[in-house]
Amino acid sequence: MLPGKSLTPEFVVGMVRRRFWLLILPLAIAGAVTALYARQLPDMYSADTVILVVPQKIPEAFVRSTVSDNIADRLQTITPTILSRSRLERIIQDYNLYPQERGRLPMEDVVALMRRNVVFPQTKDNSFTIRYTGENPRQVAQVANRLSSLFIDENLADRRNQAEGTDNFLESRLAEAKAKLIEKEKALEAYKREHAGELPSQIGSNLQQVDAAQSRVSDTRSSIDRAQERRLVLEQQLAALQKPGAVDPEALAATSRPPGADAPPSGVQQQLAQAENQVTALEAKGLKAGHPDLDQARRRVRDLRAQVAREAAEAAAGTPSTPTRALSSTELERRRQVSGLQAQIAEIDSQIARMQQDATRFQAVADDAQRRADAMPARESELTELSRDYGILQASYNTLLGKKQDSQIAANLEEQAVGEQFKLLDPAQVPGRPYSPNRMAINTTGAAAGLGLGVLLIAFLEYRDRSFRTDDEVGRVLGLPVLAVIPLMQSDLDLRRSRWRAVVTYVALGGVVIGCAGLFLFAVGH
């Protein structure tokens, strides 16, 4: 383009008039080619199925499901399973999909082609949509419904597997916790059995045993002291009776008995009566069986009664136990007293020995109870550690047991299909018209591209054009006045040849444009 030229409307109109065919020809050719291309594209149909997510029928306040993931997460888990090669290959074979592609492509490429024709689920509130596209409208609807049924079945199976997996996991953990709990219970039981009597809960009984045993030891030692005092008195009486030229027994007994004591009896019968009176007096004081004084008095009564019965039997048989017939009554009475005192001393010795054994036994009981009480702090620390571990295991076991019961109920819920599930809300219908290709848009795009190409060609040629077409352009560009204009002079032959060339060119170009228009109408009309 010459410098100084401006794009005025007159210049644009003249440029279009001069290069009209450069504008129309690309438009016609591009429109025809695009229309033919759009015509040979196959019609693509799509079918949609809408699946509703039905919530759990039983309120979660009563039964809480173990499957807690949301719809989007669950669809991301289910979708790869549905779009696996095994599933899609079975659908391709069942509905005879992509027959031409199967004849020239391997099966994995055909499966990949079908994956591209399946639109992933689009979630919306509590529902989602599955879309499938293809060339056969009836097959498209059938495949879409098949995919929706696969999603419903896979969701049920996936929820059941998750519930069963959770239940099995909790069951194994519960078994482990139970085994540990039983092991700890056995260890605790063995510890309590090994240290029976030394446990903190038995401190009260141990202290009571110590007090009771010490009291019994004290009472027993007091009884031993009293018995030794009585034995000393009896030894003094026996020594007095056994001296040569002993005085009258009754006077000796009166002078040697302790202050406040009753006068000793003169015979076995009197001694028996005195012993029975002593038992009655002790019982009147409130002494019970087991008290050393009362037991000693009762044994003396039994011994005297046996002695009386024995003497009575000897008298009845006429065989006195000792040859006292030649003796005086005083000597006979003295010997009887000596024998009775010796018997009492032997009985007291026996009682003292028994009481000493009892005191030793009671002291051993007190020492053992005290030992157990002293060992209580150490046992308390050890038992606290064992009990703490046992409490932790028991709490863990109870928690797992509660979760196991909840998971079992949730598994039954999924097994009976009363949990959250997918329901076919809107099945796919046979589409009445294709959704692709959009031939109108393709044809419009092709025509616009042809028109744009023509405009670019015209602009390029005008940019490269350096010629003057009018005297005004010369004056405006060069700034020089035009003195004369010499017209183009041609012979008649040249004029006829130029006219024929123009006619042939216009006819050829017009034929091309008309042919392209016909092809365009043909492609659009069919």
Side-chain angles (χ1 to χ4, degrees):
M1 177 181 288
L2 293 173
K5 286 186 178 181
S6 59
L7 296 177
T8 60
E10 294 79 5
F11 176 78
V12 173
V13 171
M15 178 179 62
V16 172
R17 289 178 60 186
R18 290 192 307 272
R19 307 184 188 277
F20 175 75
W21 293 107
L22 288 178
L23 186 66
I24 295 301
L25 192 62
L27 173 63
I29 295 174
V33 172
T34 304
L36 292 175
Y37 170 76
R39 185 178 183 277
Q40 62 88 28
L41 290 176
D43 292 335
M44 299 298 292
Y45 298 87
S46 66
D48 295 345
T49 57
V50 180
I51 297 178
L52 179 67
V53 180
V54 181
Q56 181 175 305
K57 298 179 181 179
I58 300 177
E60 289 194 0
F62 297 97
V63 178
R64 187 175 181 84
S65 176
T66 56
V67 183
S68 58
D69 51 351
N70 54 32
I71 301 175
D73 295 338
R74 202 177 320 143
L75 290 179
Q76 289 181 358
T77 304
I78 298 175
T79 300
T81 304
I82 300 299
L83 298 181
S84 63
R85 175 173 176 175
S86 58
R87 298 289 184 90
L88 296 184
E89 187 173 350
R90 188 178 305 114
I91 295 175
I92 292 172
Q93 293 175 354
D94 291 343
Y95 295 101
N96 193 24
L97 302 177
Y98 310 105
Q100 297 179 357
E101 288 78 0
R102 281 188 295 166
R104 58 185 177 85
L105 296 175
M107 181 55 71
E108 54 266 23
D109 292 343
V110 179
V111 172
L113 176 61
M114 184 174 180
R115 285 198 188 100
R116 291 193 295 269
N117 293 333
V118 177
V119 180
F120 289 99
Q122 303 295 322
T123 59
K124 182 181 180 181
D125 296 335
N126 59 343
S127 64
F128 60 93
T129 303
I130 301 173
R131 175 176 296 174
Y132 175 70
T133 61
E135 299 179 9
N136 190 316
R138 186 175 299 277
Q139 288 181 345
V140 165
Q142 292 175 347
V143 172
N145 289 326
R146 176 72 173 272
L147 290 174
S148 64
S149 65
L150 289 178
F151 265 95
I152 294 174
D153 296 340
E154 189 64 28
N155 175 67
L156 288 176
D158 183 66
R159 290 182 64 88
R160 288 174 182 173
N161 292 334
Q162 290 189 35
E164 291 177 359
T166 303
D167 184 60
N168 293 334
F169 171 75
L170 290 176
E171 185 175 0
S172 62
R173 293 298 304 275
L174 184 65
E176 294 177 1
K178 184 177 181 181
K180 292 181 180 179
L181 186 63
I182 292 175
E183 181 181 357
K184 186 60 69 174
E185 286 177 349
K186 291 181 179 178
L188 193 60
E189 180 183 0
Y191 181 85
K192 290 182 178 180
R193 187 166 52 250
E194 180 181 358
H195 301 284
E198 301 177 0
L199 302 178
S201 60
Q202 298 172 329
I203 182 64
S205 63
N206 287 333
L207 294 178
Q208 290 178 358
Q209 289 181 11
V210 171
D211 294 339
Q214 292 290 354
S215 178
R216 296 293 294 273
V217 169
S218 179
D219 293 341
T220 304
R221 288 177 178 173
S222 299
S223 299
I224 291 174
D225 293 340
R226 289 193 297 271
Q228 289 177 349
E229 291 177 358
R230 288 194 301 272
R231 187 180 188 283
L232 182 60
V233 172
L234 293 177
E235 285 180 348
Q236 292 175 356
Q237 293 177 3
L238 181 61
L241 290 175
Q242 289 178 347
K243 284 182 180 181
V247 297
D248 183 66
E250 295 182 359
L252 178 63
T255 57
S256 61
R257 68 175 177 264
D262 295 337
S266 59
V268 178
Q269 295 290 340
Q270 292 179 356
Q271 293 179 7
L272 178 59
Q274 184 181 1
E276 289 177 348
N277 291 334
Q278 186 179 5
V279 170
T280 303
L282 293 175
E283 290 178 348
K285 291 181 180 180
L287 300 181
K288 302 296 183 181
H291 195 276
D293 294 342
L294 182 60
D295 294 343
Q296 180 181 1
R298 287 178 177 178
R299 283 193 294 272
R300 184 180 179 190
V301 168
R302 287 197 301 271
D303 294 341
L304 291 174
R305 284 178 180 175
Q307 185 176 356
V308 170
R310 187 171 59 254
E311 291 179 354
E314 291 177 355
T319 57
S321 59
T322 57
T324 57
R325 295 183 180 272
L327 299 177
S328 63
S329 60
T330 303
E331 180 65 19
L332 182 61
E333 182 64 24
R334 187 185 70 81
R335 291 185 178 184
R336 286 181 178 178
Q337 289 184 5
V338 169
S339 177
L341 291 174
Q342 290 176 346
Q344 291 182 24
I345 291 173
E347 178 64 23
I348 289 175
D349 291 339
S350 177
Q351 291 176 359
I352 290 174
R354 288 196 299 270
M355 286 188 291
Q356 287 178 346
Q357 292 178 357
D358 292 341
T360 302
R361 180 167 52 83
F362 293 149
Q363 187 62 45
V365 172
D367 293 341
D368 185 65
Q370 186 65 42
R371 179 189 60 78
R372 294 195 299 269
D374 294 339
M376 187 272 296
R379 301 294 176 256
E380 183 178 12
S381 176
E382 296 172 356
L383 188 62
T384 299
E385 184 176 357
L386 289 174
S387 301
R388 181 175 60 250
D389 296 340
Y390 175 77
I392 294 174
L393 289 175
Q394 189 175 29
S396 177
Y397 176 79
N398 292 334
T399 302
L400 287 174
L401 182 61
K403 292 182 179 180
K404 173 64 173 62
Q405 293 175 350
D406 294 341
S407 69
Q408 182 65 43
I409 296 175
N412 294 335
L413 189 75
E414 299 298 336
E415 186 66 27
Q416 297 176 9
V418 293
E420 184 181 276
Q421 55 184 313
F422 292 166
K423 179 181 179 181
L424 184 61
L425 180 63
D426 190 6
Q429 304 295 331
V430 178
R433 59 182 178 181
Y435 83 96
S436 176
N438 189 347
R439 292 184 173 85
M440 181 63 69
I442 295 174
N443 293 334
T444 303
T445 302
L451 182 62
L453 179 61
V455 172
L456 289 177
L457 287 175
I458 293 174
F460 178 74
L461 293 176
E462 287 294 329
Y463 176 77
R464 300 284 295 177
D465 189 5
R466 300 290 181 176
S467 62
F468 294 101
R469 298 188 180 277
T470 62
D471 54 344
D472 294 334
E473 290 180 357
V474 175
R476 187 170 55 253
V477 174
L478 299 179
L480 299 176
V482 178
L483 299 178
V485 176
I486 300 174
L488 179 64
M489 292 184 299
Q490 293 179 331
S491 63
D492 293 338
L493 180 60
D494 293 334
L495 289 175
R496 286 195 299 271
R497 288 178 178 175
S498 62
R499 289 192 187 101
W500 277 107
R501 283 197 297 268
V503 170
V504 172
T505 301
Y506 292 152
V507 169
L509 294 175
V512 172
V513 171
I514 293 173
C516 290
L519 292 175
F520 179 82
L521 294 176
F522 170 77
V524 173
H526 292 73

